[in-house]
Amino acid sequence: MKRFVTLIFFTFLTLATLTAQIDKQTLKQVKQEIKVLQSEGWQPSFGTNSIEEQVMKVKEFTAAKDKDGAPIYIIVTATNAGMTENVATSMAYHTIKAEAAKVSTKGQNGMKVALGRCITLVKLQRNSRGKVEVKLTCAFKISDISISKEEGENSSAN
């Protein structure tokens, strides 16, 4: 039980430091983005955080950089509709993983990028013409170790 309480305590400390890194201009952008989402009819899915918390989380993951200034996460968003929330969510996850696969095979500067697990940042829903629309935003961590040169470049070095 003590470990669990300690884990929760350190989680809140980490969140406080991440939130402190966001400046006033970013907060203004977040408020505008929230207004747009709410005017379009998006609501947080059952059991998720408020729209404000979810959008702030996306901004924090987008702003995360490593010591060289390169992004740590690749952020992908997808919107799908289905007869139920589960169907729409499943289709959105499939779309997100396909888009992330395209990004990981392209990479930057001829590098292959292997992505980590999918971290769901935003899950919103709205009803539209008898169907449920789900909007997902996920982050994929770029693995430091798994970035390697393309095969052709490795063979020419030998």
Side-chain angles (χ1 to χ4, degrees):
M1 182 67 180
K2 287 182 181 180
R3 287 183 183 175
F4 180 71
V5 172
T6 306
L7 177 67
I8 296 296
F9 177 71
F10 283 118
T11 303
F12 283 119
L13 285 177
T14 306
L15 288 175
T17 58
L18 287 176
T19 307
Q21 295 174 356
I22 295 178
D23 59 351
K24 290 181 181 180
Q25 184 178 3
T26 305
L27 287 174
K28 188 175 180 181
Q29 291 173 350
V30 166
K31 288 180 183 179
Q32 290 174 346
E33 192 173 333
I34 290 167
K35 282 183 182 179
V36 169
L37 288 170
Q38 289 175 335
S39 68
E40 291 175 351
W42 292 105
Q43 301 173 356
S45 292
F46 181 74
T48 61
N49 295 335
S50 67
I51 294 177
E52 294 85 6
E53 292 171 349
Q54 292 183 43
V55 173
M56 286 297 292
K57 200 173 191 181
V58 170
K59 293 296 182 188
E60 290 169 1
F61 274 73
T62 304
K65 307 281 184 204
D66 65 3
K67 61 184 176 187
D68 299 327
I72 298 173
Y73 297 97
I74 293 175
I75 311 294
V76 184
T77 301
T79 304
N80 284 83
M83 295 304 290
T84 65
E85 182 184 355
N86 288 341
V87 170
T89 301
S90 176
M91 291 182 345
Y93 273 122
H94 180 73
T95 304
I96 282 176
K97 288 179 182 178
E99 287 297 318
K102 287 180 190 175
V103 170
S104 69
T105 55
K106 289 179 185 174
Q108 296 175 349
N109 302 325
M111 305 285 263
K112 275 188 170 179
V113 179
L115 301 175
R117 66 183 181 90
C118 177
I119 304 167
T120 304
L121 302 176
V122 174
K123 184 177 180 188
L124 303 173
Q125 70 178 30
R126 68 179 175 186
N127 292 328
S128 175
R129 293 177 260 163
K131 292 188 176 185
V132 177
E133 276 187 282
V134 172
K135 180 183 205 102
L136 288 177
T137 301
C138 293
F140 293 88
K141 187 169 185 174
I142 302 170
S143 177
D144 298 8
I145 300 169
S146 58
I147 298 176
S148 62
K149 295 278 184 184
E150 290 289 330
E151 298 298 324
E153 294 176 13
N154 287 338
S155 61
S156 62
N158 290 334

